Amino acid sequence: MKKSRIIKVFDTTLRDGEQAPGCSMHLNEKIEAAKQLEALGVDIIEAGFPISSKGDLESVRSIAGAVKNCSVAGLARATKIDIDAAAEALGGAANPRIHTFIATSDIHLEYKLKMSKEQVLERASEMVKYARNKCADVQFSAEDATRSNWEFLREVFEAVIKAGATTLNVPDTVGYTTPDEMYKLIKYLKKSVDGIDKVTIAVHCHNDLGLAVANTLAGIRAGAGQAECTVNGLGERAGNAALEEIVMGLKTREAYFKATTHINTQQLYRTSKLIYNLIGHTAPLNKPIIGTNAFLHEAGIHQHGVLSNKATYEIMTPESIGIVKGKMVMGKHSGKHAFVDRLKDLGYDNLTADEVEALFVKFKALCDKKKDITDRDIEALVSTKKSQLIGGNIYTLEDFEISSGKGKKAIAVITIKTDKGQLLKETCPGDGPVDAGYRAIDKITGLTPELEAYKIDATSDGKDSLGEVTVRLKIDGKSITGRGLSTDIIEASILAYINAINKK
Ligand code: KIV
Ligand code: ZN
């Protein structure tokens, strides 16, 4: 059998994904995500768009310094200042890549760029040359490629190959193409672009018609060697092609695609969870690969089949994406050894001794309130602790008392301790206990964050479940996620709010 081609995975969760509304991350959260992407085995991490803001430049710089086993890319329009900013941000990267782009479709040329085809051709070629003088690895993207004239696309690609581009990207920027059309376009480029065999062809698909993964796989089948994607399919509008779906599509149908990736698929579930945690979202139940229902078999006929032979209804196993076998329940008789083992089984093998100790204290405190501690409880303990570590503790909750009742105004009395040891107490009425608590905190901190999102989940069934609250606050124009965990949901709400403020 012919050997499978290795498809490079270019992850743009931290650029195309993070720029979507409600998906922003704190610098330290981006670094944590980048390290997990490295553990997952992606080939290239697109860490940001350095010219777009100081924060983006800093995060590309920090990720470039933190990640060593994969390339780190920075995005740049086809202008010198953008390319300079990307080169500066990537200065410390072990394997830097400048990713420069310009649109090639008639509609973008006329209404956005106000440039002629000749001007775009010249700019693309000049800027790739300029970038190549700063970096040996230069990716060029023809924005809106799938709505561009194919002959013009051919001319642009030929010019940028001559100028030194090492990867040519074919973005379906507005999610407009179809699998058949993408297949033909890649075949056309492979046949007609002079020098194409010296470079890697990439496909970058958006999901406006729900075809992003199908279009990506069609591009790969036609000969593309790089798939651009985001974890959980995050991205503007309907998002980008989902990394986990492309990777498992190739793994499950390797004989058909004759292609595979370097991804460690057992890290997929953990990566997906981490990214959702960082942005304060959860997967839809039926999301392919990583949704709660993705491996459940409810229908009797399916259950019967699966019991006789899993392959009757299961085309891949939960274990293959890193879902831990056999949920284990722990409790107050579980010692530190068992707790540490369980952390490892759940994939948390890179925690420091101090972090493990702090988590064990929390675990023991939880055992006093809750009889059975599930994997989901432990996962919530870890992600909340990590969120608190990112935020630091400028403010900590010292005490709270809230009264509320049917037809009565809620009143909150909140006491907060500052990192200087000062105790600050305020009393405030509100429209319900959470609102009253948040207003009292605003009085104490002098801040007036906008509550963009509030979400509460139970970590297990049963009345003694932990309440896991995630909030997203807008402070000084920045969206920040905070997390709080407690068997008391009002306390969890307050802790989440304080955690977000601490990340300001
Ligand atoms: O969708 C797109 O066209 C992009 C480019 C910048 C590659 O994200
Ligand atoms: Zn895009």
Side-chain angles (χ1 to χ4, degrees):
M1 198 177 90
K2 209 172 140 208
K3 229 174 129 213
S4 294
R5 282 186 305 137
I6 300 291
I7 305 301
K8 290 184 205 161
V9 175
F10 177 106
D11 178 274
T12 183
T13 308
L14 297 172
R15 198 278 297 171
D16 227 353
E18 206 256 352
Q19 75 193 30
C23 296
S24 56
M25 293 179 213
H26 185 278
L27 170 64
N28 292 344
E29 290 168 334
K30 288 189 195 173
I31 296 172
E32 190 182 353
K35 287 191 177 155
Q36 180 55 34
L37 290 169
E38 187 181 29
L40 177 66
V42 307
D43 299 275
I44 305 111
I45 294 174
E46 184 162 57
F49 189 5
I51 195 72
S52 67
S53 70
K54 264 201 174 136
D56 244 49
L57 192 137
E58 264 332 297
S59 39
V60 176
R61 198 199 303 278
S62 307
I63 291 167
V67 159
K68 294 295 161 217
N69 298 323
C70 48
S71 299
V72 177
L75 185 67
R77 285 166 301 189
T79 65
K80 286 188 180 172
I81 52 161
D82 279 42
I83 293 169
D84 290 344
E88 186 196 331
L90 293 168
N95 301 293
R97 172 179 291 193
I98 294 179
H99 175 194
T100 187
F101 73 98
I102 192 164
T104 48
S105 64
D106 290 351
I107 189 165
H108 277 237
L109 262 62
E110 184 175 351
Y111 295 101
K112 187 181 83 173
L113 297 174
K114 302 193 189 324
M115 287 167 81
S116 67
K117 282 197 163 92
E118 292 68 33
Q119 285 170 321
V120 166
L121 188 67
E122 194 182 328
R123 175 78 73 80
S125 160
E126 266 178 20
M127 289 305 113
V128 167
K129 217 176 274 166
Y130 185 74
R132 260 313 287 266
N133 279 329
K134 294 176 178 277
C135 187
D137 189 1
V138 173
Q139 168 165 332
F140 171 79
S141 287
E143 191 189 10
D144 208 16
T146 52
R147 291 195 301 167
S148 302
N149 174 286
W150 285 17
E151 171 56 21
F152 180 53
L153 203 54
R154 183 194 64 74
E155 269 187 77
V156 173
F157 279 168
E158 257 172 29
V160 297
I161 291 174
K162 283 202 188 97
T166 44
T167 300
L168 300 185
N169 185 23
V170 181
D172 184 29
T173 304
V174 290
Y176 178 76
T177 200
T178 65
D180 185 49
E181 205 171 73
M182 180 59 106
Y183 181 87
K184 286 182 180 145
L185 175 56
I186 301 299
K187 282 280 183 202
Y188 165 79
L189 293 171
K190 274 187 79 76
K191 197 177 79 191
S192 59
V193 176
D194 228 19
I196 197 94
D197 292 336
K198 292 189 293 193
V199 300
T200 302
I201 303 177
V203 279
H204 173 114
C205 300
H206 281 264
N207 204 28
D208 299 66
L209 294 173
L211 292 171
V213 172
N215 290 336
T216 305
L217 293 173
I220 289 170
R221 227 165 64 75
Q226 175 173 301
E228 305 210 354
C229 45
T230 58
V231 175
N232 303 328
L234 298 184
E236 280 191 286
R237 310 185 309 276
N240 290 50
L243 179 149
E244 61 281 1
E245 294 176 31
I246 297 169
V247 168
M248 289 312 286
L250 292 177
K251 187 178 164 85
T252 309
R253 301 299 309 275
E254 185 176 340
Y256 174 75
F257 287 107
K258 299 180 188 64
T260 187
T261 66
H262 278 142
I263 294 293
N264 174 0
T265 62
Q266 293 190 348
Q267 291 285 335
L268 280 173
Y269 185 62
R270 207 177 148 213
T271 310
S272 161
K273 277 215 140 188
L274 173 71
I275 299 295
Y276 273 133
N277 270 333
L278 294 178
I279 59 169
H281 293 269
T282 36
L285 284 180
N286 61 341
K287 187 150 175 67
I289 320 291
I290 43 86
T292 305
N293 288 358
F295 292 98
L296 287 185
H297 301 279
E298 280 290 332
I301 193 164
H302 287 202
Q303 284 178 348
H304 176 72
V306 169
L307 284 176
S308 311
N309 180 342
K310 280 192 174 183
T312 48
Y313 285 98
E314 215 171 73
I315 58 165
M316 53 197 158
T317 64
E319 292 80 20
S320 67
I321 64 154
I323 293 179
V324 184
K325 244 194 198 156
K327 298 213 182 304
M328 196 160 120
V329 174
M330 303 187 79
K332 65 175 170 203
H333 299 298
S334 309
K336 185 147 171 211
H337 224 82
F339 178 68
V340 172
D341 276 355
R342 200 62 197 151
L343 281 176
K344 285 196 182 133
D345 284 349
L346 291 170
Y348 300 112
D349 40 19
N350 53 0
L351 297 166
T352 65
D354 286 352
E355 283 168 355
V356 171
E357 194 50 50
L359 284 166
F360 187 61
V361 171
K362 295 252 174 219
F363 167 74
K364 278 293 173 192
L366 184 58
C367 291
D368 288 336
K369 294 186 182 160
K370 194 170 185 289
K371 191 168 150 273
D372 296 330
I373 312 291
T374 62
D375 288 347
R376 179 77 181 82
D377 291 324
I378 295 176
E379 283 170 358
L381 282 180
V382 176
S383 49
T384 306
K385 185 79 212 154
K386 284 192 169 180
S387 191
Q388 283 163 355
L389 287 173
I390 283 170
N393 49 5
I394 303 166
Y395 300 112
T396 44
L397 178 65
E398 181 72 12
D399 197 13
F400 76 94
E401 219 180 295
I402 299 187
S403 61
S404 70
K406 190 166 187 294
K408 293 194 193 100
K409 195 112 191 125
I411 306 282
V413 186
I414 305 264
T415 310
I416 279 179
K417 193 177 187 175
T418 69
D419 53 352
K420 312 243 165 10
Q422 210 182 354
L423 286 176
L424 304 168
K425 186 172 179 178
E426 284 293 349
T427 302
C428 218
D431 198 4
V434 174
D435 182 53
Y438 287 180
R439 283 174 192 271
I441 296 169
D442 290 352
K443 253 182 159 180
I444 291 171
T445 59
L447 298 168
T448 46
E450 182 192 330
L451 182 61
E452 286 189 323
Y454 173 96
K455 185 166 75 72
I456 182 157
D457 290 313
T459 56
S460 56
D461 299 334
K463 290 184 187 136
D464 63 353
S465 168
L466 276 171
E468 187 181 29
V469 173
T470 309
V471 294
R472 200 168 61 246
L473 305 185
K474 193 160 205 169
I475 309 178
D476 300 335
K478 240 175 46 184
S479 289
I480 308 168
T481 304
R483 308 172 64 80
L485 190 68
S486 172
T487 45
D488 177 332
I489 57 170
I490 304 298
E491 184 174 17
S493 304
I494 293 170
L495 291 172
Y497 197 76
I498 294 173
N499 179 225
I501 289 173
N502 278 336
K503 289 184 184 171
K504 186 173 100 72

